[in-house]
Amino acid sequence: MAGPHQRGDTATGESRVLLRTAGRHSAARRTALAVAGAAAAGTGLLLPAALGRALDLLLAHHPATRWVLACAGLVVLTAVLDAAQTVLHGTVDARATAWLRRRTTRHVLALGPRAQDRFPAGELVARLVGNAAAAGTAPAAQAGLPAAVVGPLGAVVALAVIDPWLALVLLAGAPPLVLLLRALARNTSACVTDYQRVQGRMAAALTEAIAGRRTIRAAGLQERETARILRPLPELSRAGHRMWRVQGRAAAQAVAIAPLLQLAVVAVAGLLLARHRLTAGDLLAASRYAVLATGIGALVGQLTSLARARAAAARLGELHAVPAPRHGARRLPEGGPGRLELRGVSARRGGRTVLDGVDLVVPGGTTLAVVGRSGAGKSLLASLAAYLADPDTGEVLLDGVPLRELSRTELRAAVACAFDRPVLLGTTVQDALALGLPRPSPDRIRAAARTAHADDFVRRLPAGYATVCAAAPRSGGEAQRLGLARAFAQGGRLLVLDDALSSLDTVTEHRVTQALTAPRAHGTRLLVAHRAATAARADAVAWLDGGRIRAVGRHAELWQDPGYRAVFADVEGTRQ
């Protein structure tokens, strides 16, 4: 497994790739923004020279109409370019943010359970919403950076053209400004990273509280949970104040240095004017160029924005550094029975070995119940069998083909899943049951619902199968029956049920289990079971204990072992 430094390097690399690709997504607009910024900077550099020339002509009582009109034209052009920059900046930000959110959403969905193994749900939402928006400002900030640099540098060159001494005076005070900008970028990045990290913790706590709102309400823990969610608020406040102090200190130092440099330039220009080496117009232009050369506010803003964007992109990079399950291009052999095999499978979660060297064979067309105490690794074994997770070592095969070598389409057509808390995705109930089917048939959907004993209560809904999911009230057991119906409708060679019968009443569970274990049932079934009656109806039972397969056999045979009976005594005692 990768160490912390390797993971950090991977996350950094991913964040850079994300920013580069997001920038390329709006390459034309970024180019237009850079051009508009450069043109605005150039216009700003021309204006002092034009003003100086107009002043000299007016003082000499010569016609200055053309130069006055040129000044007015430059002012209008600057306003137009500023408006163009505002529009382009907003467009580039919006497009980059949208692309980052799409890319991150696809990656999170591709990760599946891996995402929440590494990040709490609130963290995922915070990174997808807040961090993606902040990182999306990077392309525009990068495009605007050259223009922010061109202004001060161009002003120094213009001062040198007027008189080299003016540029030398200004450059003598430049090192403190450069050091100031460098420290600002470094310190801002560190502060923003801390701020976003604390925000993520608060979002994670809030998401947990929303998920457990009924428990909180029933226990009267609203005040305590509010305090828990807001506990990091002082730390967030400190990070925010630290960030503003960094920027305020930089602004104060810039304000202290810039006027001194401007005064020095104007003083030298005044001496040169007294010696008739400069004109009054040159003095006016030099004073304006001194302001442009020391006015680093735009540059500070660009650097601050870029630092925030990179800090946010680093958090997205941490998410993208988690590898998604790999898929190959192989297909399953025609007419395979659905033989499932685990060879030397080990898997770690949270620094703990949950499954350790598991070897298991489920013959095609049979039903295997997986039982064990809480924490024995039953759900993880089911996830590995459905290739919702990767083993750290070992291999999982279906009809002799490693799951990771199957194409995504082939895998999902062959393996169907049902879970303890199914989520209905789709506009209507029928859409939800047909999820993932390339050509859903209403007859197939209704047949699957009848097998899951969901057809009766679905027909009682206001619009039957056409009822909008949000308007379809359902109990926990009814939701599980809909999840089972969705899995039955998909079909395939392997059906994985991860605690998918836990909320069913005893009679319904008995009927569903009968349908699963009937001789005419198609494919292989892997069933995480908690009730002895469910395990008894399976063809075989795999008894997980401490992450290892302790025994495989018929329920009646294993029942002779007191340890096996204790598994169900613990579960049933918990349920009562």
Side-chain angles (χ1 to χ4, degrees), residues 106-191:
R106 283 198 299 266
H107 185 70
V108 169
L109 295 179
L111 286 177
R114 287 185 178 192
Q116 277 197 270
D117 288 342
R118 181 78 182 274
F119 304 98
E123 270 279 347
L124 293 173
V125 173
R127 295 184 190 224
L128 179 63
V129 178
N131 295 149
T137 63
Q142 290 169 339
L145 197 57
V149 175
V150 164
L153 290 181
V156 173
V157 173
L159 285 173
V161 170
I162 295 172
D163 193 285
W165 280 105
L166 301 178
L168 287 174
V169 170
L170 188 69
L171 290 174
L177 287 177
V178 173
L179 293 175
L180 174 65
L181 292 174
R182 183 178 178 184
L184 174 66
R186 182 178 62 250
N187 295 335
T188 299
S189 179
C191 294

Side-chain angles (χ1 to χ4, degrees), residues 2 25 140 161 178 217 244 264 268 289 310 349 375 391 482 487 501 564:
H25 189 66
V161 170
V178 173
R217 177 72 174 175
W244 288 115
V268 172
Y289 284 130
R310 285 178 173 170
R349 290 295 182 272
L482 290 174
L501 309 177
Y564 181 78

Side-chain angles (χ1 to χ4, degrees), residues 215-237:
T215 302
I216 294 170
R217 177 72 174 175
L221 299 176
Q222 296 93 324
E223 295 298 326
R224 196 178 80 177
E225 281 301 297
T226 300
R228 181 181 72 88
I229 294 167
L230 299 180
R231 190 171 298 137
L233 200 56
E235 187 179 353
L236 185 72
S237 176

Side-chain angles (χ1 to χ4, degrees), residues 443 445-456 459 465 485 488:
D443 292 339
I445 299 301
R446 284 159 176 72
R450 285 192 293 271
T451 303
H453 293 274
D455 182 67
D456 288 343
R459 289 182 181 277
Y465 284 87
F488 294 158

Side-chain angles (χ1 to χ4, degrees), residues 422 424 452-454 456-458 460-461 472-485 503-505:
L424 297 183
H453 293 274
D456 288 343
F457 84 82
V458 171
R460 290 196 298 270
L461 292 173
R474 52 196 179 274
S475 65
E478 289 170 341
Q480 279 198 342
R481 279 186 270 171
L482 290 174
L484 288 166
S503 296
L504 302 184
D505 61 84

